[in-house]
Amino acid sequence: PTVKTTGRVLAVSVLTYVMWKMCERGNRRSYLKKQAMKKRAERDQKRTEQYGDLDFKSLPRGAEIISMTVEELVRSMDEGTLTSEEVVTAYCARAKEAGEVLNTN
């Protein structure tokens, strides 16, 4: 083989390798995107199973809880008229509602 032929073969080999790596990278990105979407769906399913479909408007005292100050929340929990679960559920439902409005969920 001549020097020109060897150079061409080397150039084609390098180009083939570069193209292969680019395709591999594209496939890897696609794979990672699919994995991320799958994990996101699993996480959302777990949340739904654990907390149910939180709807702020359907909570009996949701608006009242959200409007209370920290001192009022603590006092109500100390008195037993309010549970920590109700407070957390109200705030989670409110955060979900705000996320939907802002389209961040």
Side-chain angles (χ1 to χ4, degrees):
T2 65
V3 175
K4 277 187 169 181
T5 307
T6 306
R8 286 184 194 148
V9 170
L10 180 61
V12 169
S13 297
V14 169
L15 280 173
T16 303
Y17 177 76
V18 168
M19 295 290 284
W20 176 72
K21 278 298 191 183
M22 288 174 67
C23 289
E24 185 180 78
R25 186 178 303 137
N27 289 339
R28 191 177 309 136
R29 282 188 191 140
S30 175
Y31 171 77
L32 291 175
K33 277 185 179 181
K34 286 178 185 174
Q35 289 299 315
M37 289 173 58
K38 182 179 174 185
K39 286 187 180 235
R40 205 171 289 128
E42 289 172 359
R43 180 199 62 207
D44 292 344
Q45 180 64 31
K46 283 182 184 177
R47 282 185 187 162
T48 302
E49 289 171 2
Q50 188 174 6
Y51 299 110
D53 192 20
L54 291 176
D55 183 15
F56 180 71
K57 294 174 181 113
S58 70
L59 294 175
R61 299 176 61 189
E64 176 189 350
I65 292 170
I66 297 297
S67 66
M68 295 171 82
T69 65
V70 174
E71 291 83 10
E72 292 171 333
L73 288 171
V74 171
R75 191 175 340 107
S76 295
M77 285 190 287
D78 285 343
E79 293 170 354
T81 57
L82 193 60
T83 66
S84 59
E85 184 178 359
E86 288 175 311
V87 173
V88 170
T89 302
Y91 274 93
C92 285
R94 180 68 178 114
K96 179 184 175 204
E97 182 182 280
E100 289 170 354
V101 169
L102 298 173
N103 196 20
T104 58
N105 278 348

